[in-house]
Amino acid sequence: MNPVSIECPAPRHEDELVLLGHGAGGRLTAELLDALVLPALDGQDGPLEDAALLPGHLDLVVSTDSFVVSPLFFPGGDIGSLAVHGTVNDLAMRGARPLALTVALIVEEGLPLSELRQVLQSLGKAARAAEVPVVTGDTKVVGRGAADKVFINTTGIGRRHGALRPSAALARPGDAVLLSGPIGLHGTTVLSTREGLGFESDIASDSRPLHRLVHAMAPLGEHIHTLRDPTRGGLAASLNEIARDSSVAIEIDESAVPVPEPVASACDLLGLDPLIVANEGCLVAFVSPSAADEALAAMRSLPEGRSAVRIGEVLADGPSGRVTLRTLVGARRVVDMPLGEQLPRIC
């Protein structure tokens, strides 16, 4: 009888695929950028900011973003106004006021013209309210099923305010961490509308422009070290990015973080952490401790910042790149960078 030869099968290497989580702003996004995008484009080292300095014109910044939110319309906004607000806010997080926008549309064949008209009217209204002109754009139509109704790309150019030079790499030990308003409203509103959960009757997206809020803080100049709007990945992603890029340890107080009751209820039902839910109308600021009260007063002087609070600080010591949360019971837990997409198609 011949001996039986037993061999372990060789592992099968299937082609890696793009996942929804690669666009979520968390660890999968960082991996995609590091492994594919930046090497292909000769990306430079350093923090990935919300907007980039324009080479040769360091008082000018540029930002581009694409919006694929589903559904197109939701309480508190729609894809048109969201496209304006998102790009204006990215410019503002580099300390800039918006000068001009471009708009590109990718429209699915079969979209009712009435819906497209409503989106564009909202986009135009939002641009006029932000006092930023739309100076050029493009329109493409693709076949049925090749897109979901309409996708929008916006690019913005802005000019920085005087001595205001915020960066994700400039947070310093001792900085006060300020938040301009409650978290979780946008993500839970969009998800509830999409899935018919019913929470949208109690809440609305916080989508709005934040450049006037930044302008109010501009007189504090170099005391404003870092600004971020916690969109994809929520407050958790923004704080982790800042801790990583500034090589600091950040601690926030759970009791100080404003979470509206309907948001807390929705997150409890769905098993979500409000810290990872997307926002579109609040910012987090890292400010010199001596200027924290003045910065809070400046934010509270405007409607979009009337609920501004101090939520934490940058620790003088502690593990570099770590974010911790002081819980309601006095314990501490690590706030990790979100892995992927728990709430897809939010912006």
Side-chain angles (χ1 to χ4, degrees), residues 280-305:
E280 290 292 345
C282 68
L283 64 82
V284 60
F286 286 65
V287 181
S288 297
S290 62
D293 289 341
E294 193 173 352
L296 278 174
M299 284 194 280
R300 290 169 179 168
S301 70
L302 296 175
E304 53 266 45

Side-chain angles (χ1 to χ4, degrees), residues 270-282:
L270 299 170
L272 298 174
D273 182 348
L275 293 176
I276 61 93
V277 178
N279 313 275
E280 290 292 345
C282 68

Side-chain angles (χ1 to χ4, degrees), residues 15-24 28-29 32 36-37:
D15 290 338
E16 293 182 288
L17 302 175
V18 174
L19 306 173
L20 275 175
H22 282 117
L28 287 177
T29 299
L32 184 68
L36 293 179
V37 178

Side-chain angles (χ1 to χ4, degrees), residues 72-73 78-81 105 111 114-124 150 152:
L72 299 183
F73 307 97
D78 56 74
I79 194 172
S81 59
L105 306 174
L111 177 70
S114 59
E115 290 189 28
L116 184 59
R117 181 178 297 109
Q118 189 175 348
V119 166
L120 292 174
Q121 287 176 341
S122 178
L123 190 153
V150 60
I152 301 178

